[in-house]
Amino acid sequence: MQQMNSRLKLTMAVALTAIVLLAGCASTPDWPVSARDNTKPVYPEKLLEQVPFYPQEKYQCGPASLAMMLNAQGLATNPDILKELVYLPGKEGSLQVEMVAGARAHDMLVYRLEPEPEAILAEVEAGNPVLVMQNLRLSWWPQWHFAVVVGYDSTEQVFILNTDTRRHYEMPYKVFYNTWSKAERWAAVILPPDQTPASAEMLPYLQAAHDLETTGHTRAAQRAYQTAITRWPEQPTPLMANANLQYQLGHFQNAVGSFLRVVEKFPGFSEGWNNLAIALNDAGCPARARHASECAARLAPKRFKPLQDEARSNAADAAACPQIPACPSNAH
């Protein structure tokens, strides 16, 4: 009987090992190469030596990884302090929501990357460490883990990680991709709101800034909106986001000035005229508000209507009300 039990245990161990090996055979894309020369890697090698390292004690990968990310941006914190923000005793660890909230608590912008290796490589190449989540076991038996990507080597095809108790650990690309994929390829950069990620796209960046706004970090959000205005000057959306924040804060005069910037630079943008009308009305400029609302209605008649408050819209403006530009001649 004892021999049979030993054989049974051995059989189960072999079966479990086979399952683990099969789980590790998921398809891995090739290392990114140049579109012009498919033998030349886009990103040859990089190591961010300046990123601090904190060894991760048991179940403490979240606080340690977040400390590395924050201190790489010039903050001064440590895993013991961050443990109070991100550690979940019931989970014996941390999850993405807590990590993101912990970064925002320090007025930092959290930008989630596209789930492709190229996005991670681009950020590291630009000098930005990348926070990644991995599953070190199986999809149905997970072991969640946070690590910080601080480098890569295309010749060896390794991602260089600060992970658990190892600094600059060279993880084979296929192993990294497999463990990362089992965590839905979650990766993010954490930056001050006056910076943009190397791989940033406008709408995801504005969403990250808006997340700062809705969680009460309005000054950081405003800095992020200003950063977006500089990064994407040809787009009206960053200007609108900044103006909307001023309005939400009750700074109606500032909101009017910001919406004026929108319609002056993008005169055919009906949303700008509509929001300008609302801000003007609340700032005590009903006549100019009526003019702006009529312009919005002419530009987009199916979306906007002129102001309906006749008593107020027929009132005179205060002397301090700003001049507004003429409605575009091509408005219907």
Side-chain angles (χ1 to χ4, degrees):
M1 179 65 71
Q2 185 175 359
Q3 185 178 9
M4 184 177 294
N5 286 339
S6 298
R7 288 177 179 174
L8 180 60
K9 290 179 181 178
L10 178 61
T11 301
M12 291 178 65
V14 171
L16 182 58
T17 301
I19 292 173
V20 172
L21 290 174
L22 286 172
C25 294
S27 176
T28 304
D30 293 334
W31 188 278
V33 294
S34 170
R36 293 184 178 180
D37 182 356
N38 60 14
T39 65
K40 183 179 180 181
V42 180
Y43 306 102
E45 61 179 325
K46 187 84 171 186
L47 179 60
L48 305 180
E49 294 273 8
Q50 77 279 11
V51 177
F53 174 68
Y54 296 95
Q56 301 169 357
E57 299 176 4
K58 189 175 183 181
Y59 306 131
Q60 299 297 309
C61 66
S65 295
L66 186 56
M68 289 185 250
M69 294 293 292
L70 294 176
N71 289 358
Q73 302 302 328
L75 276 67
T77 187
N78 62 66
D80 290 335
I81 295 173
L82 295 173
K83 179 181 176 181
E84 302 300 321
L85 288 175
V86 303
Y87 181 69
L88 298 173
K91 298 286 187 181
E92 294 186 331
S94 307
L95 297 177
Q96 298 104 311
V97 172
E98 287 71 32
M99 296 288 280
V100 170
R104 289 187 190 134
H106 292 79
D107 283 341
M108 302 294 278
L109 182 137
V110 182
Y111 183 89
R112 183 171 177 182
L113 302 183
E114 288 294 310
E116 302 298 338
E118 292 91 333
I120 296 177
L121 296 174
E123 293 301 331
V124 175
E125 177 65 24
N128 301 324
V130 178
L131 179 67
V132 295
M133 190 175 190
Q134 298 169 282
N135 178 1
L136 303 181
R137 285 201 297 237
L138 303 171
S139 299
W140 50 270
W141 185 30
Q143 180 183 340
W144 306 118
H145 178 70
F146 285 104
V148 178
V149 181
V150 296
Y152 55 84
D153 187 328
S154 64
T155 302
E156 299 297 328
Q157 294 211 350
V158 294
F159 274 47
I160 304 173
L161 278 62
N162 284 353
T163 181
D164 52 63
T165 59
R166 293 169 290 185
R167 184 173 189 245
H168 298 169
Y169 171 64
E170 296 184 358
M171 179 173 283
Y173 170 55
K174 289 188 176 182
V175 175
F176 171 81
Y177 189 86
N178 179 254
T179 56
W180 184 46
S181 293
K182 287 185 290 186
E184 298 182 349
R185 287 185 276 171
W186 190 91
V189 290
I190 298 174
L191 295 173
D194 58 0
Q195 297 180 25
T196 56
S199 59
E201 295 182 359
M202 184 185 69
L203 291 181
Y205 182 85
L206 289 176
Q207 181 60 59
H210 184 68
D211 290 340
L212 279 170
E213 177 184 342
T214 56
T215 52
H217 304 281
T218 52
R219 289 188 178 181
Q222 186 170 4
R223 288 172 60 199
Y225 290 143
Q226 292 291 343
T227 301
I229 290 169
T230 302
R231 174 73 181 267
W232 295 282
E234 74 288 353
Q235 296 292 334
T237 312
L239 283 168
M240 285 287 286
N242 181 60
N244 285 337
L245 173 58
Q246 297 300 320
Y247 182 83
Q248 293 297 329
L249 293 174
H251 302 160
F252 299 132
Q253 293 291 349
N254 290 342
V256 167
S258 296
F259 285 125
L260 275 173
R261 289 181 63 192
V262 176
V263 300
E264 287 169 352
K265 190 168 185 179
F266 305 96
F269 190 58
S270 60
E271 290 85 350
W273 286 100
N274 179 72
N275 289 19
L276 173 61
I278 295 171
L280 283 166
N281 214 37
D282 287 333
C285 304
R288 287 170 173 78
R290 184 177 66 253
H291 172 82
S293 71
E294 289 172 350
C295 184
R298 287 199 294 271
L299 287 167
K302 293 183 179 180
R303 295 188 58 196
F304 302 117
K305 303 296 181 185
L307 287 176
Q308 298 300 313
D309 187 349
E310 293 296 330
R312 187 168 185 182
S313 63
N314 289 327
D317 285 349
C321 291
Q323 294 297 319
I324 63 174
C327 192
S329 58
N330 60 346
H332 299 296

